[in-house]
């Protein structure tokens, strides 16, 4: 019973993530990003003695969900999170994702977090989220995120 519940929960998370990422790709293009590419997780395939695939496991962690270019050629790294409640906690991003977004931003790139919920989707600058007080003990509410939203070009 627990295995089925865990699998069904994992499948729901995957579906929600896929929905958020599809919306995010569209939003990135609306915000002027070009050369948008999904960063895929590399997988190791396990086979039995007959060559039949019997399992798979991720080989490593990836830096984000998308890369792209902004007008003027600035590099873009994007992490997408879909939250049903519109509340983004620091822990929703894994530590390696925080490190990647921070390092990309420090190096002069555009590091964005996209928050997708059933009612809205918005892109925000990672460094502005941190500067606004987003941290381990302080989640970012959708109303706060609204003030950090990147607007579409006129």
């Amino acid at each position: 019973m627990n295995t089925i519940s865990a699998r069904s929960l994992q499948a729901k998370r995957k579906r929600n993530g896929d929905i958020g990422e599809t919306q995010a790709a569209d939003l990135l293009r609306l915000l002027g990003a070009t050369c948008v590419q999904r960063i895929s997780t590399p997988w190791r395939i396990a086979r039995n003695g007959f060559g039949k695939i019997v399992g798979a496991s991720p080989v490593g962690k990836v830096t984000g969900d998308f890369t792209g270019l902004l007008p003027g050629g600035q590099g873009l790294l994007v992490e997408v999170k879909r939250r049903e409640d519109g509340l983004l906690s620091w822990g929703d991003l894994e530590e390696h994702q925080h490190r990647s977004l921070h390092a990309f931003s420090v190096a002069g790139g555009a590091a964005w977090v996209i928050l997708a919920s059933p009612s809205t989707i918005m892109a925000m600058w990672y460094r502005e989220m941190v500067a606004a007080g987003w941290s381990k003990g302080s989640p970012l509410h959708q109303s706060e995120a609204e003030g950090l939203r990147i607007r579409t070009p006129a």
Side-chain angles (χ1 to χ4, degrees):
M1 182 74 167
N2 287 340
T3 304
I4 294 171
S5 297
R7 283 186 182 168
S8 108
L9 181 60
Q10 186 178 28
K12 181 179 180 185
R13 285 184 186 144
K14 170 105 175 75
R15 267 192 317 278
N16 283 341
D18 289 348
I19 291 168
E21 288 173 9
T22 299
Q23 293 171 326
D26 293 341
L27 177 62
L28 289 170
R29 289 181 187 90
L30 281 173
L31 292 173
T34 59
C35 302
V36 174
Q37 292 185 350
R38 172 91 170 83
I39 301 173
S40 298
T41 302
W43 289 84
R44 178 177 300 122
I45 305 298
R47 298 179 184 269
N48 66 13
F50 302 105
K52 181 180 176 185
I53 295 174
V54 294
S57 59
V59 174
K61 299 182 183 296
V62 295
T63 56
D65 291 315
F66 290 96
T67 60
L69 294 172
L70 293 179
Q74 184 181 28
L76 176 64
L77 176 65
V78 180
E79 180 60 37
V80 179
K81 293 298 173 191
R82 180 168 170 84
R83 292 295 309 256
E84 297 298 314
D85 59 5
L87 178 70
L88 187 64
S89 297
W90 185 266
D92 289 334
L93 274 71
E94 294 182 35
E95 201 54 44
H96 75 277
Q97 294 168 327
H98 284 287
R99 283 193 306 270
S100 295
L101 290 165
H102 174 76
F104 201 82
S105 182
V106 167
W112 291 359
V113 174
I114 292 182
L115 173 60
S117 71
S119 61
T120 190
I121 182 167
M122 65 183 78
M124 299 163 286
W125 290 89
Y126 178 78
R127 69 171 185 267
E128 289 182 11
M129 294 168 67
V130 174
W134 186 52
S135 64
K136 287 183 183 176
S138 179
L140 188 69
H141 295 270
Q142 190 166 330
S143 58
E144 296 167 318
E146 191 62 43
L148 300 172
R149 174 184 278 211
I150 298 168
R151 306 290 178 195
T152 54

